[in-house]
Amino acid sequence: MSSMASLLRRRLPRRIFIVQKKAFSSSPDEGNTARRIEKILIANRGEIACRIIRTAKRLGIRTVAVFSDADRDSLHVKSADEAVHIGPPSARLSYLSAQSIIDAAVHTGAQAIHPGYGFLSESAAFAQLCEDEGLTFIGPPASAIRDMGDKSASKRIMGAAGVPLVPGYHGNEQDIDFMKSEGEKIGYPVLIKPTHGGGGKGMRIVQSPSEFVEAFLGAQREAAASFGINTILLEKYITKPRHIEVQIFGDKFGNVLHLNERDCSVQRRHQKIIEEAPAPNIVNDFRTHLGQAAVSAAKAVGYHNAGTVEFIVDTISGQFYFMEMNTRLQVEHPVTEMIVGQDLVEWQIRVANGEPLPMNQSQVPLLGHAFEARIYAENVSKGFLPATGILHHYRPVPVSSTVRVETGVEQGDTVSMHYDPMIAKLVVWGENRAAALVKMKDCLSKFQVAGLPTNINFLQKLANHWAFENGKVETHFIEHFKDDLFVDPSNLLLANEAYDAAKFSAVLIAACVCEKERCNLKESPPGGKSSLSIWYAYPPFRVHHSARRTMELDWDNEYNSSSSKLLTLSITFQPDGNYLIETGEENSPDWEVKVAHLGNSDFRVEVDGVSRDVSLAVYSKDQTKHFHIWHGSHHHTFRQRVGLQLSADDEAQHKPSFEATSHPPGTVVAPMAGLVVKVLVKDGTKVEEGQPILVLEAMKMEHVVKAPSAGHVHGLQVTAGQQVSDGSFLFGVQDESK
């Protein structure tokens, strides 16, 4: 944005700590003998439940977790002092079951309930139910949730208060024909948006009237599945926006302040993936006006506890507009904690206890810069569709006073289709934006996940992009720079570079696997060594002969999604303990590799005089051995068939799934594991190209599966309510013109 020239720089301390330094004062009413919170039930799951438990334990407050069947062995259950089962995996029957959660709190003697974010955190009815049952709701009053949680009502309140609003329809009428006419009045493109909830769930961008009905109905279904309410509002879609939000906080004595702003513009599927605080490239006057508008919004509804006022900023005009208020703690709250040096969960608990805020607006610091990168289980190449699977290897980066990892999983856990696919949040702090960005890049390169696809490599591309480095962010950043961020199969130069890098990683894998094998044999008891010990013998078991072995590794070639690349490596164990590795390819060098096994999955490897750290994860699944290697900024994955040797005839019948992925033309397979929520046509129906056939839902997100071509549908056997696995056959379309 041209009008937002420079970021205010401040002199900073050398280190920053999250534990708050400034204590809350006692209530002004010294005679107040109300009992303080000693036990909290967390009405949530995953990383936010773990986050709340951590602060509560530091304050000496006992914790109660709740869990569904799918979360019985989850980290948040293990971390809490007590845990109560509340239902089956479906969120509607567990984490959205208000009475089950109230019953759990009463049964365990909890005095307060912390809702976290999502689920019931913005339910005015739930907040009121807590109050009616004599339980403290750690959040805003039910009236404020009701006023601001309903996005249509909040816009009417803000409009009356003089806060600029994006043109749109925020009324109660929901008739589809009426809403379509309102969309035409606003002018396309139009944004369809649920009146409740957040996280991009149910949002649809509609470019023309012909798309409106399908988008509107899909938004209603997704909103109902995520928030239990399916009402919709319409807004003019701003084509070049930034998403900037302000963290506000109020106490029960009428004090409200803001804790600076966050930029959340870099998004995919309307969901944030990198957030930062403060917002880059804005002038101080803009920051002040934004903060004042947010405080005014909170005061207008008698707000207390944590909240976030979200604004959309038109990068062309520089004007900001009120978008919505989230009446809860946000997913991205850690970046604010990092730049103000405070624990916002502690603030929430103390405000709920009736204590005033520990500082006034003039005392709020702005210390350095922080980033948060959300690490998801998802298929980036499939349009960021959520992924499921087992975390066979999970090693986040080490935490410190400037690096946080907020996670709710551990190695061996399963990321299921029932909930949000976020694995962790990586949060880093630096004395300025450039320093924080360097740290984020380094941490992303060292964050190890194996067992399912993630967006880590994509986050690295984002962080290294020149426009992001310069703070030129807006909500269409990924779409605008898609040619830089996504693989272009036609770019032969980059394809060759990618292959050379993968080949070098395969060489390192071969050497590390052999060295770990050799170390294990050395440590095995006498008499228990396998025949492989002869291969590593020195002197050689045959005079003047160095034993050789072959390893075959399949590399998923991202520049050719239709096939993998088989790499055949010849490995020779040399008398000096090094490994000579050859690929047999013309003009390909031979590598002499020296390896030291440091323990578990860590190695120190020297090639051509350069020594480097290498990490290796190996696991088996479906008669296939999977290898993941990390070194420097590189992460590569390979596969190797295991099991019986097959004859040529048998081999064709027993190829692993990664070699048998071809389907007849017109075949449509499930793009993700999920639930079939609606089948729109019958088998045998004649359809047009792009016509919706069925709707899948996974992790509270809908995906419409469409016909790949015109023709007749065949093989459509799935029904509403049926679970399907990723890659399973859904239907085919037979093109009768051929």
Side-chain angles (χ1 to χ4, degrees):
M1 188 184 326
S2 60
S3 62
M4 298 182 182
S6 62
L7 185 64
L8 180 65
R9 307 287 185 189
R10 297 196 181 198
R11 188 164 183 161
L12 306 169
R14 292 184 63 186
R15 299 184 69 193
I16 183 170
F17 295 89
I18 290 305
V19 178
Q20 81 172 52
K21 303 295 188 208
K22 187 176 180 67
F24 277 70
S25 62
S26 300
S27 168
D29 180 5
E30 295 297 336
N32 182 6
T33 59
R35 186 178 178 186
R36 295 171 65 85
I37 296 169
E38 297 180 4
K39 192 173 192 178
I40 295 173
L41 181 141
I42 298 102
N44 219 296
R45 63 176 301 279
E47 63 87 12
I48 185 57
C50 293
R51 163 75 187 89
I52 296 164
I53 290 169
R54 189 170 67 245
T55 289
K57 285 190 172 183
R58 180 171 61 78
L59 298 176
I61 298 172
R62 297 190 301 277
T63 56
V64 180
V66 292
F67 64 92
S68 69
D69 291 338
D71 280 339
R72 186 174 297 275
D73 299 315
S74 293
L75 184 60
H76 78 279
V77 174
K78 299 174 185 177
S79 302
D81 297 301
E82 301 173 60
V84 180
H85 175 251
I86 55 170
S90 169
R92 297 186 190 95
L93 302 175
S94 53
Y95 296 105
L96 287 171
S97 176
Q99 192 58 55
S100 297
I101 291 169
I102 293 292
D103 291 345
V106 172
H107 177 72
T108 56
Q111 301 137 322
I113 293 181
H114 196 305
Y117 54 73
F119 295 130
L120 294 170
S121 62
E122 292 183 285
S123 169
F126 181 66
Q128 187 64 56
L129 185 59
C130 289
E131 184 179 332
D132 294 344
E133 294 288 339
L135 297 165
T136 299
F137 180 78
I138 302 179
S143 59
I145 298 177
R146 192 173 297 110
D147 289 341
M148 301 302 277
D150 182 331
K151 295 178 177 61
S152 290
S154 67
K155 288 177 185 295
R156 291 193 292 270
I157 293 170
M158 291 302 100
V163 178
L165 298 177
V166 178
Y169 174 74
H170 314 122
N172 296 321
E173 178 61 60
Q174 295 290 298
D175 177 77
I176 192 167
D177 292 328
F178 174 83
M179 294 293 274
K180 186 176 181 181
S181 68
E182 287 297 312
E184 291 173 355
K185 290 178 187 177
I186 295 166
Y188 290 91
V190 166
L191 182 65
I192 293 177
K193 190 175 183 180
T195 59
H196 293 72
K201 300 292 192 305
M203 287 177 60
R204 301 285 193 277
I205 300 169
V206 184
Q207 300 290 347
S208 67
S210 63
E211 302 173 9
F212 187 89
V213 172
E214 179 189 332
F216 183 84
L217 295 175
Q220 283 189 320
R221 286 193 300 269
E222 198 169 317
S226 299
F227 317 117
I229 300 174
N230 70 347
T231 51
I232 298 296
L233 62 83
L234 306 177
E235 288 181 346
K236 176 68 179 176
Y237 185 64
I238 295 177
T239 55
K240 292 188 177 180
R242 282 179 71 175
H243 180 136
I244 300 181
E245 62 189 33
V246 179
Q247 176 72 62
I248 60 97
F249 227 103
D251 61 26
K252 296 179 181 179
F253 304 98
N255 303 306
V256 181
L257 53 73
H258 70 83
L259 298 172
N260 302 307
E261 81 289 340
R262 301 182 287 253
D263 192 295
C264 308
S265 298
V266 180
Q267 306 176 7
R268 54 90 179 101
R269 291 196 284 107
H270 306 300
Q271 286 188 311
K272 309 158 189 174
I273 49 174
I274 295 182
E275 301 101 337
E276 58 182 301
N281 300 331
I282 68 170
V283 296
N284 217 33
D285 283 348
F286 183 89
R287 172 173 293 121
T288 300
H289 292 145
L290 202 66
Q292 290 172 345
V295 169
S296 297
K299 287 184 175 180
V301 290
Y303 200 89
H304 63 71
N305 219 282
T308 299
V309 183
E310 300 191 349
F311 296 94
I312 190 166
V313 181
D314 189 332
T315 58
I316 298 173
S317 67
Q319 176 65 51
F320 68 84
Y321 302 97
F322 173 82
M323 185 162 57
E324 63 189 48
M325 183 173 185
N326 291 313
T327 54
R328 54 174 166 80
L329 199 64
Q330 290 280 85
V331 177
E332 58 273 18
H333 76 274
V335 292
T336 295
E337 292 182 319
M338 295 295 249
I339 66 164
V340 297
Q342 301 290 321
D343 182 334
L344 298 190
V345 174
E346 179 175 354
W347 278 37
Q348 286 190 291
I349 295 170
R350 292 189 179 276
V351 165
N353 267 330
E355 300 179 43
L357 296 177
M359 61 179 66
N360 59 41
Q361 190 65 63
S362 65
Q363 295 172 313
V364 175
L366 199 168
L367 308 170
H369 203 95
F371 285 101
E372 175 181 282
R374 302 191 192 186
I375 295 172
Y376 283 99
E378 63 185 14
N379 285 287
V380 173
S381 62
K382 290 185 178 181
F384 302 98
L385 288 180
T388 59
I390 298 172
L391 292 165
H392 288 285
H393 175 85
Y394 181 56
R395 187 197 285 180
V397 292
V399 299
S400 67
S401 61
T402 59
V403 176
R404 291 169 59 175
V405 175
E406 302 290 348
T407 187
V409 296
E410 52 191 348
Q411 187 165 300
D413 283 355
T414 297
V415 177
S416 77
M417 59 168 281
H418 301 290
Y419 313 113
D420 189 271
M422 186 164 63
I423 296 170
K425 301 182 310 196
L426 170 66
V427 186
V428 301
W429 179 90
E431 293 187 351
N432 52 51
R433 190 176 189 272
L437 185 55
V438 167
K439 191 166 296 182
M440 181 169 71
K441 292 177 183 180
D442 180 60
C443 289
L444 284 171
S445 71
K446 295 174 180 175
F447 204 111
Q448 300 177 14
V449 181
L452 38 65
T454 76
N455 65 337
I456 294 177
N457 286 353
F458 185 75
L459 290 170
Q460 288 180 272
K461 289 182 180 180
L462 281 173
N464 283 286
H465 194 276
W466 66 267
F468 186 84
E469 289 178 330
N470 291 316
K472 298 181 180 298
V473 292
E474 50 109 353
T475 56
H476 303 304
F477 186 94
I478 293 174
E479 174 65 22
H480 186 70
F481 293 108
K482 61 183 179 181
D483 291 343
D484 301 334
L485 298 172
F486 296 98
V487 169
D488 177 7
S490 65
N491 192 321
L492 296 181
L493 177 62
L494 291 180
N496 289 333
E497 289 178 357
Y499 175 63
D500 288 342
K503 184 165 57 177
F504 183 67
S505 286
V507 167
L508 298 183
I509 286 176
C512 290
V513 166
C514 290
E515 181 61 18
K516 187 171 184 178
E517 193 176 73
R518 189 181 73 84
C519 291
N520 290 340
L521 287 169
K522 284 175 62 178
E523 295 170 2
S524 61
K529 297 181 180 180
S530 72
S531 59
L532 282 173
S533 60
I534 299 175
W535 191 75
Y536 294 109
Y538 182 75
F541 73 98
R542 284 166 56 187
V543 179
H544 305 304
H545 175 82
S546 294
R548 299 165 67 92
R549 64 189 293 187
T550 299
M551 178 180 289
E552 291 187 342
L553 296 172
D554 251 299
W555 171 56
D556 274 337
N557 183 1
E558 60 181 350
Y559 283 86
N560 184 359
S561 59
S562 63
S563 67
S564 56
K565 175 69 175 179
L566 182 65
L567 296 169
T568 303
L569 306 172
S570 175
I571 308 137
T572 303
F573 181 63
Q574 299 184 305
D576 59 3
N578 293 347
Y579 299 92
L580 179 66
I581 302 179
E582 306 161 89
T583 64
E585 295 181 358
E586 188 176 349
N587 300 322
S588 180
D590 299 336
W591 286 273
E592 184 167 340
V593 185
K594 181 178 181 180
V595 185
H597 183 209
L598 305 179
N600 296 322
S601 57
D602 296 322
F603 301 83
R604 187 72 179 179
V605 180
E606 182 179 328
V607 183
D608 292 336
V610 178
S611 181
R612 56 177 57 81
D613 289 324
V614 172
S615 291
L616 182 66
V618 184
Y619 64 92
S620 295
K621 177 184 176 184
D622 299 333
Q623 295 186 323
T624 304
K625 186 174 285 187
H626 296 255
F627 298 86
H628 286 248
I629 184 170
W630 294 266
H631 60 95
S633 61
H634 298 285
H635 170 218
H636 287 102
T637 62
F638 300 85
R639 291 171 295 190
Q640 183 184 69
R641 191 186 319 170
V642 295
L644 296 173
Q645 294 294 320
L646 303 174
S647 68
D649 291 338
D650 290 337
E651 188 172 344
Q653 302 177 39
H654 294 87
K655 286 188 176 182
S657 58
F658 64 85
E659 292 185 13
T661 56
S662 61
H663 295 282
T667 299
V668 177
V669 299
M672 61 183 181
L675 177 74
V676 179
V677 295
K678 195 169 186 179
V679 178
L680 304 172
V681 303
K682 294 181 179 180
D683 194 41
T685 302
K686 185 176 182 180
V687 295
E688 299 299 322
E689 181 179 349
Q691 181 175 334
I693 305 299
L694 57 86
V695 180
L696 286 178
E697 179 191 290
M699 302 173 184
K700 299 184 290 184
M701 188 199 79
E702 275 196 358
H703 180 77
V704 179
V705 181
K706 300 180 180 181
S709 61
H712 285 84
V713 175
H714 67 88
L716 179 61
Q717 301 296 323
V718 296
T719 58
Q722 181 178 335
Q723 303 276 0
V724 295
S725 59
D726 185 12
S728 60
F729 175 84
L730 295 179
F731 61 88
V733 176
Q734 186 170 353
D735 186 352
E736 297 181 347
S737 65
K738 295 182 180 180

